[in-house]
Amino acid sequence: MSLFEDIFRVEDLNPDGKKFDRVDRIVAKSERSEMYMQLDVNTEIYPIKVGEKFSIALATTLSTDGTPDTGYYTQGGRHSLADNYEYVMHGKLYKVSEEGSHPNIRAEIYISFGGLLMLMKGDPTTFNQFQLDQRLFLLMRKV
């Protein structure tokens, strides 16, 4: 079940300097929902450049019928949401916060994908379905 989908454009790479050989921190802005994102990407397997656009989805399961994820990978030739994307990570939402005052309130969510981090900022209503400690799949493909 997809909780969020949008198209982002890479605005910057490694704004605080490059920290790791095979990882870039991308800074991107969404086209539809005025969302800001920082995301660590393993560029050895998924290179990405400033100016490129990519589609992103955050989902609780890879099952196309919405069946909850069991936490175990089974080979079986079944189709999944991952079939439609080029880069997939699995992680955990570890922090939710809000900043600002009405009407300019912005919410932030932080997700860790085994040490690769993601920060998304935007309208709090966008994050209504997200919960602390929730397991999520990040799915990306260039457009």
Side-chain angles (χ1 to χ4, degrees):
M1 178 177 157
S2 182
L3 301 179
F4 176 82
E5 290 183 54
D6 207 338
I7 294 174
F8 284 79
R9 182 179 183 279
V10 179
E11 303 282 324
D12 195 10
L13 288 176
N14 304 309
D16 300 323
K18 190 153 175 78
K19 309 272 189 226
F20 301 100
D21 289 340
R22 299 177 184 138
V23 176
D24 278 337
R25 177 160 288 171
I26 63 172
V27 175
K29 292 191 179 168
S30 70
E31 290 188 342
R32 290 180 268 185
S33 58
E34 296 184 27
M35 195 69 60
Y36 168 86
M37 177 176 60
Q38 286 187 4
L39 175 65
D40 295 343
V41 175
N42 181 332
T43 52
E44 184 176 56
I45 55 177
Y46 197 68
I48 197 157
K49 298 179 178 102
V50 172
E52 287 186 318
K53 289 184 180 183
F54 59 92
S55 172
I56 192 168
L58 290 170
T60 56
T61 181
L62 292 177
S63 299
T64 55
D65 64 1
T67 304
D69 181 61
T70 62
Y72 296 98
Y73 175 74
T74 54
Q75 293 180 347
R78 285 186 265 158
H79 293 289
S80 76
L81 293 177
D83 296 336
N84 301 321
Y85 292 88
E86 303 163 336
Y87 185 75
V88 179
M89 294 192 291
H90 184 248
K92 184 176 184 178
L93 193 152
Y94 69 91
K95 183 179 177 184
V96 179
S97 66
E98 289 186 356
E99 62 180 29
S101 59
H102 190 70
N104 297 320
I105 249 176
R106 303 295 279 171
E108 298 179 345
I109 62 170
Y110 295 82
I111 305 170
S112 175
F113 301 98
L116 298 179
L117 303 178
M118 174 185 204
L119 158 66
M120 281 184 48
K121 290 183 188 181
D123 181 0
T125 58
T126 305
F127 301 125
N128 283 343
Q129 297 180 25
F130 291 91
Q131 300 168 8
L132 194 61
D133 294 331
Q134 187 174 35
R135 301 255 176 219
L136 296 166
F137 290 93
L138 173 124
L139 303 109
M140 287 177 68
R141 74 172 167 260
K142 294 177 185 168
V143 292

